[in-house]
Amino acid sequence: MLSSRRIARSPAVQRFIGFVAAEYLRLVWRTCRLTLDPANLYEIFDPQMPVIVAMWHGQHFMMPFLSRGHRVKCLISRHRDGEINAYAAQRLGIGAVRGSGDHGNRFDIKGGVGAFKGMLTALAEGYNMALTADVPKVARVAGLGIVKLARFSRRPIYPVAVATSRRIVLKNWDRSAVNLPFGRFAIVLGEPVRVPADADDAMMEQCRALVEQRLCQVTERAYEIVDRKDGHADRG
């Protein structure tokens, strides 16, 4: 008899779950009323491409819809769940670079070296690179990995948050927001963080803290918009 774990490892099962996940997210996107903040988000964003898109883990499920046809790859772990995420991302038109770092921002384990080189290659080829900025298993604390990527690639980091008015917030480490259809949807773009190629340790830490601060700001702003705490009606 096949165990549930063995079934979950089946590529066919993973593809099916990825397909369902992608189509569910597409349903949310098509049934929600969109607000862009700022309203000229793409006029700001487009001339700077390729860029590094920073987001918080657990708040990233609707991020593929930021792409609007742009060439984008995202960093996805090599874990079994990562296979599902990669299938879903592919169906939504997003490529994948596989691997991750650890709590100490090392790139020599978990496929990290290859992933880092893959992200640099993607940016050099003109792809925007999207990845979560927080340290694994430590929510809303930015790691140095994304800052190192910006330093070596010389591409700006753009903090981005997406939020929906209808959602379920899970009680897990990253407070994942499961987005629900038929509500309000906001995409918020923050001020970019540019990391000098010759940045020393102090400057790297300053940039890391700035990424963290600006990600928190755009996340707060996104929820203000969808929960209508900013006093404005839907727009976009």
Side-chain angles (χ1 to χ4, degrees):
M1 179 179 292
L2 293 176
S3 67
S4 59
R5 181 174 295 180
R6 188 171 179 181
I7 292 172
R9 290 197 185 114
S10 165
V13 171
Q14 292 169 341
R15 281 193 294 270
F16 175 73
I17 297 173
F19 168 82
V20 171
E23 293 310 304
Y24 172 76
L25 295 177
R26 208 187 302 274
L27 171 68
V28 175
W29 169 252
R30 288 175 174 171
T31 60
C32 285
R33 298 183 299 279
L34 175 64
T35 296
L36 299 178
D37 189 277
N40 63 339
L41 183 153
Y42 290 103
E43 294 176 22
I44 297 170
F45 191 71
D46 289 5
Q48 305 300 320
M49 293 192 293
V51 302
I52 300 167
V53 176
M55 52 195 166
W56 285 138
H57 204 281
Q59 312 297 311
H60 61 286
F61 299 116
M62 298 299 295
M63 198 63 71
F65 299 100
L66 169 68
S67 66
R68 203 180 65 168
H70 296 137
R71 300 170 73 207
V72 181
K73 291 189 177 183
C74 59
L75 180 64
I76 297 177
S77 75
R78 296 191 177 193
H79 188 269
R80 182 173 64 247
D81 292 343
E83 294 298 326
I84 296 170
N85 292 336
Y87 286 129
Q90 182 181 28
R91 185 156 184 86
L92 295 172
I94 307 297
V97 173
R98 305 301 300 275
S100 60
D102 75 341
H103 294 274
N105 301 294
R106 290 174 59 185
F107 292 103
D108 57 344
I109 60 175
K110 297 186 181 180
V113 170
F116 192 72
K117 290 179 179 178
M119 289 189 289
L120 287 174
T121 299
L123 288 163
E125 292 177 347
Y127 286 91
N128 297 304
M129 193 67 228
L131 62 156
T132 52
D134 27 5
V135 176
K137 303 300 182 182
V138 184
R140 311 297 172 85
V141 175
L144 278 171
I146 195 169
V147 179
K148 290 177 181 177
L149 181 63
R151 176 187 170 194
F152 280 94
S153 67
R154 301 189 182 183
R155 305 312 305 162
I157 301 171
Y158 272 90
V160 177
V162 299
T164 54
S165 58
R166 301 187 68 247
R167 59 189 180 270
I168 298 172
V169 180
L170 303 182
K171 294 181 179 179
N172 56 358
W173 72 270
D174 58 12
R175 292 168 283 171
S176 297
V178 179
N179 308 104
L180 302 176
F182 305 107
R184 293 178 294 280
F185 182 105
I187 301 176
V188 179
L189 180 72
E191 290 294 320
V193 177
R194 301 180 187 276
V195 183
D198 60 350
D200 58 14
D201 289 349
M203 176 58 69
M204 293 286 284
E205 170 56 24
Q206 182 179 334
C207 292
R208 185 210 65 79
L210 195 55
V211 170
E212 182 176 305
Q213 177 189 38
R214 291 182 179 176
L215 262 176
C216 287
Q217 289 172 344
V218 295
T219 300
E220 181 179 3
R221 175 62 179 158
Y223 283 109
E224 284 179 351
I225 292 170
V226 297
D227 295 335
R228 289 184 167 171
K229 295 180 180 178
D230 65 345
H232 294 293
D234 298 323
R235 58 194 180 278

